[in-house]
Amino acid sequence: AEEQLHENNRLLEETLAELQETQQQIIQQERLRALGEMASGVAHDFNNALSPILGYSELLLELPNALDNMERLTEDLRTINTAAKDAASVVRRLREFYRYREANEILLPVNLNQLVEQLVSLTQPKWKDQAQKNGITINMTTDLGDIPPIAGVETELREVLTNLIFNAVDAMSADGTILIRTRASRKHVFLEVSDTGVGMPEDVRRRCLEPFFSTKGERGTGLGLSMVFGIIQRHHGRIEIESEPGEGTTFCIRLPIQAQMASQTDDVGIDLRLEKSLRVLVVDDEPLIRQMLTKYLTGDGHTVETAANGVEGLSKFRMGHFDLVVTDRAMPEMNGDELATVIKQIAPDMPIIMLTGFGSMMEASGEHPASVDAVVSKPITLENFRRALANITNPPP
């Protein structure tokens, strides 16, 4: 009996080990599946954001007369610039699945009607050009009421409206209409996006806001509407969905009107260019980044020396005299962390800006290399670059 008991225990231990191994394999498979879905979602969002950039830039290149119309040229360039900023926010938006809005996060006044007009133009390659290519004509109409500004994050609200418009377009299997309407009550502003598409049955309507739930097969990721839901929640709003099969769908978003909200930052509209000229060392392994930063800096009257990696950057730093170092993080031979550490050993007071594509993730995790004075995320605009230079060379008291 004792031998039988030992044998039974041995079999139970083997079975438990097999179950644990199987469980780990299942967990790993689910992690890989989720990672694949996330990667697909990122690619999907990048493609959406890049579409107007590619479309409008091609129009400017293919139509010589377009450059003669300064008003249209300015409008198209502004659209390209806005789309590029949205593409830059894709990586930052990966945090939106797990982060809550911080209590001290600044909400600024957002003109929702202006945002609607902007997005109608920005998404035109999707709802007009691509639809017509597929043999479908979609009429985009707006009914914008007299509404007050709302307190929010403009890039996030732009993402909400972009996803709702794209979702409406995907629901169209024949000619139809998309209507965007805004209105206000005493305490709330309402944004409605309606389409005359295929509609949703009740079971799909109840689940459409769940992450990874999609009825589009290979064309969908199931991330767009869940992102919308998370953003609206962080804006203390609500979203309601009305839909019937064959009768179209209406998404109604209700956002609170806040009596008090933060004003725009003090340096908006102020010339952030420095009065004194700086000698700057730019270290980055991407030639186009070095070229862009050089144009940024020389355009503001600074002197620039560039290096393609940390080793070359350190050599030029030892041989020259600089007021500021701007370095990438991920570089061959010597990365930005190592370069900053050595430079601080040589010149402890040397200001160092780390300009990196990992900036958003470093900010989210609270990571800040000890030898770096400021971490700035790529891609960067001229205004934000000037602000970073001003902050590091003239730190607030």
Side-chain angles (χ1 to χ4, degrees):
E2 185 176 354
E3 289 178 358
Q4 185 64 42
L5 180 61
H6 283 301
E7 179 64 16
N8 289 340
N9 285 339
R10 186 184 65 79
L11 292 175
L12 286 172
E13 289 176 355
E14 289 180 356
T15 302
L16 179 61
E18 291 176 359
L19 287 173
Q20 290 175 337
E21 183 178 354
T22 302
Q23 182 185 41
Q24 289 300 319
Q25 290 176 352
I26 293 174
I27 291 174
Q28 182 67 14
Q29 288 174 357
E30 285 300 303
R31 285 175 175 170
L32 291 174
R33 184 191 65 80
L35 181 61
E37 295 281 4
M38 289 292 292
S40 176
V42 170
H44 177 266
D45 286 352
F46 261 118
N47 287 336
N48 285 339
L50 292 175
S51 292
I53 297 175
L54 181 61
Y56 281 98
S57 60
E58 279 190 335
L59 287 175
L60 294 176
L61 291 171
E62 293 292 331
L63 301 176
N65 294 335
L67 300 179
D68 298 331
N69 187 334
M70 188 56 63
E71 183 177 351
R72 177 181 174 181
L73 174 61
T74 302
E75 181 181 348
D76 288 353
L77 289 175
R78 187 175 290 113
T79 300
I80 292 172
N81 184 261
T82 300
K85 291 177 181 177
D86 286 345
S89 68
V90 168
V91 175
R92 292 195 296 271
R93 289 200 303 270
L94 292 177
R95 294 183 294 159
E96 307 306 328
F97 288 103
Y98 61 82
R99 82 175 179 96
Y100 297 95
R101 178 161 314 284
E102 292 81 359
N104 60 347
E105 190 163 359
I106 297 176
L107 300 179
L108 298 175
V110 177
N111 186 325
L112 199 57
N113 284 346
Q114 187 177 67
L115 199 67
V116 169
E117 293 173 345
Q118 182 186 65
L119 262 297
V120 167
S121 174
L122 190 64
T123 58
Q124 180 175 317
K126 174 78 171 182
W127 61 261
K128 183 178 180 181
D129 303 335
Q130 184 176 328
Q132 289 179 348
K133 182 180 179 182
N134 296 329
I136 299 172
T137 298
I138 296 177
N139 295 316
M140 177 71 71
T141 60
T142 59
D143 180 11
L144 306 181
D146 184 11
I147 61 174
I150 61 172
V153 180
E154 184 172 331
T155 55
E156 293 185 354
L157 294 173
R158 188 184 297 120
E159 173 70 10
V160 166
L161 193 52
T162 299
N163 271 290
L164 292 181
I165 292 175
F166 284 177
N167 197 68
V169 173
D170 291 338
M172 300 284 193
S173 58
D175 295 354
T177 300
I178 297 174
L179 170 63
I180 304 177
R181 178 188 292 114
T182 60
R183 55 188 175 88
S185 65
R186 189 168 61 89
K187 293 183 178 181
H188 297 92
V189 166
F190 296 87
L191 170 66
E192 296 179 3
V193 179
S194 302
D195 65 71
T196 58
V198 296
M200 293 182 284
E202 181 61 20
D203 60 329
V204 173
R205 188 192 68 81
R206 288 198 306 266
R207 296 192 58 197
C208 67
L209 299 178
E210 296 178 8
F212 303 123
F213 178 79
S214 176
T215 60
K216 302 176 185 177
E218 295 297 326
R219 296 186 300 111
T221 64
L223 299 177
L225 290 181
S226 63
M227 183 83 74
V228 168
F229 180 68
I231 292 173
I232 296 305
Q233 278 196 320
R234 287 194 301 278
H235 281 76
H236 307 292
R238 292 184 60 182
I239 181 170
E240 297 178 354
I241 306 169
E242 297 178 3
S243 186
E244 293 287 344
E247 299 296 329
T249 301
T250 296
F251 286 87
C252 181
I253 295 171
R254 185 178 70 182
L255 296 167
I257 298 174
Q258 298 186 15
Q260 294 182 346
M261 65 184 81
S263 60
Q264 296 285 347
T265 52
D266 293 339
D267 55 9
V268 171
I270 298 177
D271 191 346
L272 295 170
R273 284 175 289 192
L274 302 178
E275 295 182 0
K276 63 178 181 179
S277 176
L278 301 177
R279 294 164 295 178
V280 184
L281 174 62
V282 173
V283 187
D284 199 298
D285 59 333
E286 292 291 340
L288 290 179
I289 299 295
R290 296 197 302 271
Q291 179 181 340
M292 180 195 72
L293 293 178
T294 298
K295 290 185 177 181
Y296 274 3
L297 290 163
T298 55
D300 284 352
H302 305 299
T303 303
V304 183
E305 188 84 23
T306 64
N309 55 60
V311 173
E312 182 183 354
L314 181 58
S315 175
K316 291 192 174 183
F317 181 82
R318 293 181 185 276
M319 297 172 58
H321 300 280
F322 299 97
D323 302 305
L324 172 69
V325 175
V326 179
T327 180
D328 188 16
R329 189 179 204 189
M331 296 183 294
E333 300 186 50
M334 175 184 284
N335 63 36
D337 298 65
E338 297 167 335
L339 174 63
T341 299
V342 177
I343 288 178
K344 284 292 188 180
Q345 292 173 351
I346 300 172
D349 296 329
M350 177 61 56
I352 300 177
I353 295 177
M354 178 169 283
L355 181 60
T356 171
F358 297 109
S360 296
M361 290 176 280
M362 293 171 68
E363 178 185 356
S365 63
E367 182 183 3
H368 191 109
S371 299
V372 172
D373 297 284
V375 176
V376 182
S377 184
K378 290 179 182 176
I380 189 169
T381 64
L382 177 57
E383 178 184 1
N384 288 337
F385 190 57
R386 285 172 173 168
R387 183 176 293 111
L389 293 182
N391 289 339
I392 199 171
T393 55
N394 299 304

